[in-house]
Amino acid sequence: MANGQLNGTDLGVYVGGTLVAYSTSATININHSPRTTTNKESNGFEEVMEGLRSWDVSVDALYAWLDPSGSAISNETLSEIFTGFIHTRASFTLTFGVTSSTTGDTKYTGTAWVTSASLTAPMEDTATFSVSFQGSGALTQTIA
C-alpha cells in the first residue's frame, strides 16, 4: 500500500466465496436511515434518532463465456449468478474487499440477494454486465 493509498484493483466482490469474473469496478454502500422524532416543540427543525441500517453492493464486469484460452471461467459470471441466485431466488454470503491475510487488510461480509442484473452489448465494443446485491442483516467488517 504505497503512501497509505489502496489500489482499487486489490478489492473484489466474492459471491458465495468465488470472485466475480472480469470485474472492472465495484461499489459498496453502507447506509443509515434515521427515524424522525420531529414534533411541535422542534421549532420547525427536523429532529432524528438512530434508525435502520442497510447495505448494498454493485459490480460492473466484462461479459465472457470462456477465458482467453477457451477454457471455462472459474470465477462467477453473469450466467452463474443468474442460474445460481436469481433463477433459484437463493441468498448467499457476499464478501467485498480482499481475502488475503495481510495485516491491515479489510473485508466486509454478509448475507445478500441479487436484486438486478443487466447485460450491455454495444456495437464493436466489449460486452459488459452489471449486478446489484442487497444485504440482508448485519454486515461484518474484518481487519486482518
Side-chain angles (χ1 to χ4, degrees):
M1 181 171 22
N3 299 322
Q5 303 301 312
L6 184 64
N7 184 335
T9 303
D10 295 335
L11 301 175
V13 174
Y14 299 81
V15 173
T18 304
L19 182 66
V20 172
Y22 304 124
S23 174
T24 58
S25 66
T27 302
I28 186 169
N29 297 300
I30 304 168
N31 311 297
H32 178 228
S33 300
R35 59 190 169 101
T36 186
T37 58
T38 306
N39 58 64
K40 293 179 181 179
E41 297 171 1
S42 299
N43 295 319
F45 288 95
E46 180 180 28
E47 294 180 1
V48 297
M49 292 181 70
E50 82 291 335
L52 294 176
R53 293 163 292 172
S54 64
W55 58 277
D56 60 85
V57 171
S58 60
V59 177
D60 296 316
L62 304 179
Y63 185 65
W65 292 308
L66 302 172
D67 71 12
S69 72
S71 300
I73 297 170
S74 60
N75 293 326
E76 293 285 341
T77 66
L78 181 60
S79 296
E80 282 82 27
I81 291 169
F82 174 77
T83 57
F85 305 107
I86 296 175
H87 183 69
T88 61
R89 298 185 212 179
S91 65
F92 52 89
T93 299
L94 184 137
T95 301
F96 184 99
V98 296
T99 58
S100 67
S101 57
T102 303
T103 300
D105 283 353
T106 302
K107 66 181 175 181
Y108 300 89
T109 305
T111 299
W113 297 86
V114 177
T115 57
S116 69
S118 62
L119 174 61
T120 303
M123 186 175 86
E124 296 299 323
D125 202 350
T126 304
T128 60
F129 70 93
S130 298
V131 182
S132 296
F133 308 97
Q134 177 66 50
S136 178
L139 180 66
T140 303
Q141 179 185 34
T142 305
I143 302 173

